[in-house]
Amino acid sequence: MSRRRFMIMGINAAGAATGLLIAAPIVGDILSPVFYKSKQPWVMVADIRHVPVGVPTAYVVMLNDSGDAWQVPAVPRTVYVVKANLSNAVQLITLSNVCTHMQCDVHWDVNLQVFLCPCHGGLYSMIGTNIGGPPPQPLFRYQHKLVGTTLYVRNVLTEGQ
Amino acid sequence: MAEELERSVLVGRLTRPISGLMATTYRWVDERLGVTDLVHQLLYEAVPRRGAWAYSLGSATLILIVLQIVTGMFLLWTYVPSTTEAWLSLNFIEHHDEFAAIVRGMHLWGAYILFVVIGLHMVRTFVSGSYKKPRELNWIVGVVLFLLVLGLGITGAMLPWDQAAYWTATVVTHVVDYFPIFGTQLQEILRGGPQMGPATLTRFFAIHIWLLPALLVPLIGLHLILLRRHGEHGSWVNYEGVEEETEAERAERMARAEAPYPALPSDPGYAVPMDLDDFFPSQVFKDALVSFGLVLLIFIMAIVIGAPIERAANPAALNYVPTPEWFFLPLDQLLVQFPQAWMIPVGVFILPGIGTTLLILVPFLDRTPGRQPWRRPEVMVPALFVLLFLIFEAMLAVNRLFNL
């Protein structure tokens, strides 16, 4: 190997190694939100005795956005609390009002008895099943728990049905 | 002929591993864009052969500044320049985002190593008398670049808005209050009001990420253009025996000089180094190894020590002692040594001002003919005293701050 050839290989090796040292933590930094799981607290919604059966009722709760890192001020989100009468048993569902099509805000239309999305005409049933329009999947559901009759949700979404 | 050969070697290097179609595409782009010519211009020039490892300090400075810009860009993915969120966002990085913490560590240690390398680069240039004609302006540009980097260091230290940042910023912005006549107004301009607050952080953030870099980057360009215009002077080892040269020998040396030599207007004998080498690959090889070593050191320090963050800024603190960054220790010591209203301006404006002015004027103050440091005692001895004074002041400051 000539002296010149050796030096050119050395330049390439040192250059690549230097680039790698700089790039590795930066790439990790870019990808880190994929691996970061924020801990979401339970947030009180309402006393479920006030929620009528068969009428989806909207509540505004202050939730931390997932992956919000250090942010302390929460943002307001609508939770639809649904007591649905399904095969003689009342099921409690806490629906997100974010349309699964383009993430617009859906609302319960009392006359049509569906969740209606104003943007592109998506339709969902009372329990959030996508029954018309472009939405590809049912409305997401917030995780919820009951302490006595008090309903809590947290900003962890599960897929609907 | 040799140049043609070199050029084809380079094109071969750029295109060899890829298929004929890619080579054709490269040739198409090259004919229109002139990439090969540009690379050729950048890589093929003559540099002094002897002492080449010492000349890698300049390129190392450049690489470390690029490292600061790149890591700084990615710190902005998380950092919020607001007094309520700056500390929260960086504290989040330190505890929940390991990779961003490494990036932040590299930004801090990159700055520390950058100051060391810039210092050595300046000492090397000073000792070898490289600022002598025709390179006076490049010395001045270099001093301005050094001052800008100092400014970046002090403004960067304010941004975490932890205790250290807050109280350092308080002291630094209060220094200007002692400026004659306009002191109070200057302080209000720097702080965005009479006291430290949200506007203080946003303006130092703007100065740190836009104002100073916007001045720094074009001046680095000028520094490099001037370097290429006159060529590297190197050091005295490249000019040994020039005094004994006959006129004919000197004329012959000038005649076989390669671009960018002869550097004119130089003192007789110093226009062309005695022995030349190729910038590529000889000098680039040394530059690449030195820069790699420094980046590796920075990477290791970022992982092993990282960038500490103190508790969030507390303007109600009772006994917090802000420790200045180590490169400002001599100036901090002057604050102690010059008490009382009328003496404070001497310590904070007059002495540093005289020092900076002398540093800028070095090429014009040094009237000595030679390049060897031992033949220029008129500049070397005072410079050594200034350097020892700065180290002594820093040691006094360390003793005061840490009770060693």
Side-chain angles (χ1 to χ4, degrees):
Chain A
M1 187 191 297
S2 72
R3 180 182 148 80
R4 183 186 162 80
R5 187 100 206 99
F6 171 76
M7 285 194 288
I8 291 174
M9 279 178 63
I11 290 166
N12 286 335
T18 307
L20 194 68
L21 283 178
I22 299 174
I26 287 173
V27 170
D29 186 10
I30 293 169
L31 296 180
S32 66
V34 178
F35 305 105
Y36 174 69
K37 296 280 178 284
S38 64
K39 288 190 176 61
Q40 292 292 342
W42 291 102
V43 182
M44 195 178 79
V45 182
D47 188 326
I48 52 161
R49 285 175 295 186
H50 301 310
V51 181
V53 176
V55 183
T57 310
Y59 289 94
V60 174
V61 292
M62 301 302 281
L63 296 176
N64 288 314
D65 281 331
S66 56
D68 63 350
W70 65 90
Q71 196 180 3
V72 176
V75 293
R77 296 279 180 199
T78 293
V79 177
Y80 266 105
V81 182
V82 184
K83 276 180 180 172
N85 213 338
L86 296 172
S87 54
N88 300 324
V90 174
Q91 198 186 342
L92 184 66
I93 303 168
T94 45
L95 290 174
S96 154
N97 82 319
V98 175
C99 182
T100 57
H101 176 225
M102 288 294 153
Q103 303 199 330
C104 289
D105 52 329
V106 305
H107 62 272
W108 177 251
D109 190 300
V110 181
N111 297 323
L112 298 174
Q113 289 287 302
V114 290
F115 282 104
L116 178 65
C117 181
C119 293
H120 313 103
L123 299 173
Y124 303 87
S125 72
M126 184 184 293
I127 61 165
T129 312
N130 47 325
I131 52 173
Q137 64 183 105
L139 289 174
F140 282 92
R141 298 174 177 194
Y142 284 105
Q143 271 188 7
H144 68 260
K145 69 171 183 182
L146 280 171
V147 178
T149 56
T150 309
L151 175 68
Y152 290 84
V153 295
R154 63 174 175 180
N155 197 6
V156 178
L157 293 168
T158 56
E159 292 202 359
Q161 311 166 2
Chain B
M1 181 59 210
E3 194 171 299
E4 258 331 288
L5 187 71
E6 291 278 279
R7 180 181 299 216
S8 62
V9 165
L10 193 66
V11 175
R13 275 187 44 70
L14 287 165
T15 54
R16 184 165 16 90
I18 42 191
S19 69
L21 179 65
M22 289 297 283
T24 315
T25 312
Y26 176 79
R27 219 165 288 129
W28 188 93
V29 173
D30 189 39
E31 279 164 6
R32 283 147 187 85
L33 214 53
V35 187
T36 306
D37 275 341
L38 183 68
V39 172
H40 202 255
Q41 258 184 344
L42 292 177
L43 291 186
Y44 296 112
E45 64 150 10
V47 290
R49 183 185 291 278
R50 300 187 60 194
W53 285 100
Y55 313 147
S56 62
L57 288 167
S59 68
T61 304
L62 179 63
I63 294 295
L64 293 188
I65 288 175
V66 170
L67 173 71
Q68 290 305 98
I69 293 173
V70 173
T71 50
M73 279 179 190
F74 286 94
L75 283 175
L76 289 179
W77 284 44
T78 314
Y79 177 77
V80 186
S82 125
T83 48
T84 51
E85 287 188 53
W87 184 83
L88 284 171
S89 60
L90 294 187
N91 194 55
F92 168 78
I93 283 181
E94 289 309 308
H95 294 108
H96 300 287
D97 197 340
E98 293 81 2
F99 285 109
I102 298 173
V103 175
R104 182 163 174 261
M106 288 181 82
H107 200 68
L108 179 75
W109 285 97
Y112 287 172
I113 305 290
L114 175 60
F115 277 111
V116 174
V117 173
I118 285 190
L120 292 174
H121 180 54
M122 288 177 84
V123 168
R124 202 283 296 168
T125 309
F126 187 90
V127 170
S128 59
S130 301
Y131 47 73
K132 293 196 171 196
K133 72 177 178 185
R135 300 182 179 85
E136 303 94 327
L137 278 181
N138 219 13
W139 169 266
I140 294 172
V141 172
V143 173
V144 175
L145 284 170
F146 172 65
L147 296 175
L148 288 173
V149 171
L150 275 182
L152 282 159
I154 193 66
T155 51
M158 298 176 181
L159 300 185
W161 216 248
D162 58 355
Q163 283 283 67
Y166 180 85
W167 292 105
T168 303
T170 305
V171 172
V172 169
T173 51
H174 194 60
V175 160
V176 299
D177 192 38
Y178 291 96
F179 197 82
I181 307 168
F182 307 112
T184 309
Q185 286 77 10
L186 279 178
Q187 178 181 300
E188 288 191 351
I189 290 168
L190 272 185
R191 285 185 174 176
Q195 290 178 329
M196 297 281 292
T200 318
L201 181 55
T202 48
R203 65 198 54 218
F204 278 105
F205 173 72
I207 293 170
H208 184 75
I209 71 152
W210 275 117
L211 184 60
L212 295 179
L215 297 170
L216 189 79
V217 171
L219 278 176
I220 290 172
L222 182 59
H223 204 58
L224 294 175
I225 288 170
L226 289 176
L227 172 72
R228 276 303 168 90
R229 178 173 165 79
H230 301 296
E232 281 190 60
H233 173 261
S235 62
W236 67 92
V237 291
N238 292 289
Y239 304 90
E240 274 169 356
V242 290
E243 277 90 359
E244 292 84 49
E245 252 181 341
T246 63
E247 284 290 328
E249 281 170 340
R250 183 164 298 163
E252 199 222 310
R253 190 152 63 90
M254 298 279 264
R256 60 179 164 81
E258 287 175 54
Y261 301 103
L264 297 170
S266 291
D267 292 330
Y270 294 99
V272 183
M274 291 293 222
D275 214 354
L276 293 170
D277 202 352
D278 294 328
F279 176 68
F280 180 85
S282 296
Q283 184 67 46
V284 177
F285 176 70
K286 297 174 181 70
D287 291 355
L289 287 191
V290 169
S291 289
F292 167 69
L294 290 170
V295 173
L296 182 64
L297 176 64
I298 290 164
F299 185 78
I300 290 170
M301 295 306 273
I303 287 181
V304 174
I305 300 182
I309 185 159
E310 298 186 2
R311 279 194 250 174
N314 175 18
L318 282 177
N319 193 25
Y320 179 79
V321 183
T323 311
E325 292 291 353
W326 57 267
F327 40 87
F328 276 103
L329 284 172
L331 291 176
D332 189 56
Q333 190 60 21
L334 287 176
L335 296 182
V336 178
Q337 292 161 335
F338 288 84
Q340 308 301 328
W342 68 274
M343 275 171 70
I344 291 171
V346 177
V348 298
F349 301 119
I350 296 178
L351 279 187
I354 291 174
T356 308
T357 310
L358 288 177
L359 196 60
I360 288 174
L361 293 179
V362 157
F364 310 105
L365 297 173
D366 184 357
R367 316 300 297 178
T368 57
R371 296 294 195 276
Q372 296 94 326
W374 56 88
R375 289 186 56 205
R376 294 154 50 224
E378 301 95 315
V379 289
M380 290 306 297
V381 172
L384 195 62
F385 267 102
V386 170
L387 198 61
L388 288 175
F389 172 73
L390 291 176
I391 293 170
F392 179 65
E393 288 286 274
M395 285 167 64
L396 284 180
V398 167
N399 181 54
R400 171 173 53 85
L401 290 162
F402 302 105
N403 293 316
L404 292 179

